[in-house]
Amino acid sequence: MQAIQALEQRFSANHFDTNKPVTEKQIEQLVYLATQAPSAFNIQHTRLLAVVEPAAKAALKAVAFNQQKVEDAAVTFVVLADTQAHEHYARVNEQAIEAGLYDQQMAEKMLEMVAGNYADKPGFSRDEALRSGSMVAMNLMTAATAVGLASGPMIGFDPKALQQEFKIAERYLPVMMIAVGYEGAGNWPKKPRLTTEEVLVKDARPGQTHPFSQ
Ligand SMILES: Cc1cc2nc3c(=O)[nH]c(=O)nc-3n(C[C@H](O)[C@H](O)[C@H](O)COP(=O)(O)O)c2cc1C
């Protein structure tokens, strides 16, 4: 499927086919495609849990206000974002050097810039983690559509209970959950969107008043 079709056809699914599992390979492919998303300085904040086992799904459903799709979907991804991901930047540098993109001097400069931007800046680090995690989440949903799967994003869960139940350290921010599986019967179609005219200021100029000026 073309990217344009996947973007247009994705919808938020509530009902999944409970008789059709997805394979580990499919899960890996979705995560591979999802993590092609960009992140600032290529920090790559996002980590994922794939919950597939029935008892694990039941535990996840319990912390997700009993949303049935957590049990019905073949897999529910818990998208996490590392609020201290900058601490792992040496690994990003290592790969960039291996790929011949950076030399040692450039790597050191990048490390310095990353530390300057994020170390001791918890608010900005959290915002950045959430941005990165959200982009991976969107990629995952688009990729799911492209390979014939349905997806349902969720923020309806208790983050503290989730972290406790699935032993997620404090530094990892639960960005959202995404139920993924084959489409079941009874879903609403994709909902209408605001028009481009309503959301876009064409040719914005400094000092110009526009609908978002107040
Ligand atoms: C971050 C986020 C959190 C959401 N949380 C939930 C949720 O907990 N439960 C649910 O049923 N739908 C949830 N939704 C689905 C939205 O209601 C849905 O995406 C929206 O109504 C648009 O639907 P559409 O994509 O099918 O057009 C969430 C969507 C997003 C993006």
Side-chain angles (χ1 to χ4, degrees):
M1 187 188 288
Q2 298 292 314
I4 290 172
Q5 289 171 303
L7 289 169
E8 286 179 337
Q9 289 178 18
R10 185 215 54 81
F11 68 97
S12 298
N14 252 319
H15 303 288
F16 292 88
D17 186 336
T18 53
N19 295 313
K20 272 188 163 178
V22 297
T23 64
E24 209 173 294
K25 269 222 146 20
Q26 284 174 295
I27 290 172
E28 283 171 1
Q29 185 195 27
L30 288 176
V31 171
Y32 166 76
L33 293 169
T35 53
Q36 302 311 303
S39 56
F41 295 100
N42 197 28
I43 292 176
Q44 303 171 68
H45 308 72
T46 312
R47 303 291 182 266
L48 301 103
L49 307 183
V51 180
V52 290
E53 193 269 331
K57 281 187 190 175
L60 191 64
K61 181 184 163 190
V63 299
F65 308 132
N66 285 318
Q67 296 198 59
Q68 187 58 35
K69 51 185 164 286
V70 175
E71 200 164 277
D72 294 348
V75 52
T76 294
F77 292 95
V78 178
V79 182
L80 303 171
D82 186 357
T83 57
Q84 294 162 43
H86 57 277
E87 289 176 359
H88 296 306
Y89 202 72
R91 170 72 181 131
V92 177
N93 267 342
E94 185 186 277
Q95 285 191 312
I97 290 169
E98 263 169 32
L101 295 173
Y102 299 170
D103 57 16
Q104 194 59 41
Q105 201 186 355
M106 180 67 178
E108 277 164 27
K109 205 171 145 191
M110 294 295 285
L111 194 65
E112 215 173 281
M113 278 162 65
V114 165
N117 268 283
Y118 302 105
D120 305 320
K121 292 183 182 157
F124 188 54
S125 293
R126 192 177 191 279
D127 289 350
E128 200 63 90
L130 203 53
R131 265 191 283 275
S132 288
S134 298
M135 282 194 277
V136 168
M138 189 65 245
N139 260 17
L140 195 148
M141 291 186 277
T142 308
T145 306
V147 300
L149 293 166
S151 64
M154 281 169 276
I155 198 59
F157 58 86
D158 176 343
K160 284 273 168 266
L162 167 71
Q163 286 185 289
Q164 203 167 14
E165 193 69 44
F166 283 83
K167 286 175 106 33
I168 299 162
E170 190 88 357
R171 65 186 281 166
Y172 293 96
L173 184 69
V175 175
M176 70 184 80
M177 292 184 186
I178 308 174
V180 173
Y182 289 93
E183 188 182 344
N187 278 303
W188 273 346
K190 191 174 138 193
K191 298 178 196 76
R193 294 294 189 260
L194 299 175
T195 64
T196 304
E197 285 66 31
E198 286 172 284
V199 303
L200 173 68
V201 176
K202 287 182 200 163
D203 192 17
R205 304 284 175 107
Q208 178 196 51
T209 301
H210 55 73
F212 318 131
S213 297
Q214 52 185 348

